Amino acid sequence: KETDAKYSIRAVMKSTGIVSIFAKYLFDGRAEGNLENGRFFPQSYSENSDTGKRKSEKQMIYMQGVPQLTQSEKRKKFWLDPSSQKNTVDPMTAIYALLSDQQSESPCKQNLVVYDGARRFSIKLLTSKIIQEKMSCEGIFTRIGGYSKKEWSQGSQFPFELKYVKAGQIFRLERFIMTTLRGRASFVRQ
């Protein structure tokens, strides 16, 4: 939901069907903030997640652009200190920015630096291609800090693609395709 210069978003993702037999996953996230001249300024973020192996709760309240963090999980030594993460956005705000409608004139311009309470990463859209009523945007997810040696050894950059369909003067997201450590994943808008 977006009104004037404020936004509010909630997402619930969970494994279903046959996938849930092999990989249990639940994520419930919320964020609120302000939108000014195309820039996002988060005010609050919360998440509850259950990977089947680990459950965690996390909240961040932003004070002058700096996240104040509370969480249920014990902090690891390689995680980044929230006080050093001024002017980052939370994961839900980043998802909202990426999955929002794109303007026909200058699409796919997002460049976000994200902090999830432990790790810092960037999400950048690099190119856009419009062919008649369809548009695709290619981007890159780049790890910046807060990752373990094992995570770094698995890679630091992961490409993704957003596919849109024209709806009036805008392009509306139809599909999100990303490369993960387990292979390619595709999410379809319903």
Side-chain angles (χ1 to χ4, degrees):
K1 178 174 98 175
E2 187 178 317
T3 59
D4 297 326
K6 296 195 178 297
Y7 66 91
S8 174
I9 184 170
R10 179 177 185 211
V12 177
M13 296 178 275
K14 63 181 179 177
S15 54
T16 60
I18 193 129
V19 172
S20 65
I21 295 170
F22 302 106
K24 182 181 177 180
Y25 183 78
L26 172 66
F27 173 87
D28 185 352
R30 300 169 193 249
E32 293 182 354
N34 298 316
L35 179 59
E36 298 172 19
N37 298 320
R39 285 195 60 210
F40 291 89
F41 298 93
Q43 300 298 305
S44 66
Y45 168 77
S46 65
E47 78 172 48
N48 291 312
S49 62
D50 182 352
T51 65
K53 295 179 182 177
R54 175 177 51 90
K55 291 183 181 184
S56 68
E57 292 181 23
K58 187 182 302 179
Q59 277 193 299
M60 290 191 290
I61 304 295
Y62 291 77
M63 307 295 282
Q64 298 178 339
V66 179
Q68 313 297 308
L69 175 69
T70 58
Q71 68 186 85
S72 62
E73 200 172 8
K74 184 179 178 202
R75 292 197 58 80
K76 297 180 180 174
K77 64 182 177 184
F78 51 85
W79 285 356
L80 299 176
D81 184 338
S83 67
S84 68
Q85 301 306 310
K86 185 172 185 167
N87 297 326
T88 56
V89 299
D90 61 86
M92 288 301 301
T93 296
I95 289 169
Y96 177 70
L98 277 181
L99 305 185
S100 294
D101 295 339
Q102 296 287 318
Q103 299 299 318
S104 300
E105 310 87 57
S106 58
C108 303
K109 299 292 184 197
Q110 285 90 344
N111 182 6
L112 304 163
V113 178
V114 185
Y115 177 66
D116 69 1
R119 298 163 200 84
R120 181 181 179 119
F121 53 91
S122 69
I123 298 172
K124 185 174 185 175
L125 294 179
L126 305 169
T127 63
S128 64
K129 185 187 320 178
I130 299 173
I131 300 175
Q132 296 175 359
E133 302 293 306
K134 303 235 179 213
M135 177 176 74
S136 66
C137 301
E138 292 183 357
I140 193 90
F141 172 104
T142 304
R143 292 175 169 169
I144 297 172
Y147 294 89
S148 69
K149 287 180 182 178
K150 180 180 178 184
E151 289 168 322
W152 281 115
S153 74
Q154 295 168 334
S156 62
Q157 294 191 322
F158 302 89
F160 63 89
E161 182 178 11
L162 303 167
K163 293 188 174 275
Y164 298 84
V165 64
K166 192 159 186 152
Q169 295 301 311
I170 60 166
F171 284 93
R172 180 149 294 141
L173 185 72
E174 186 176 55
R175 182 179 297 265
F176 174 52
I177 304 161
M178 61 188 274
T179 303
T180 71
L181 295 173
R182 293 188 172 118
R184 286 178 59 88
S186 181
F187 302 91
V188 179
R189 183 181 196 144
Q190 293 187 355

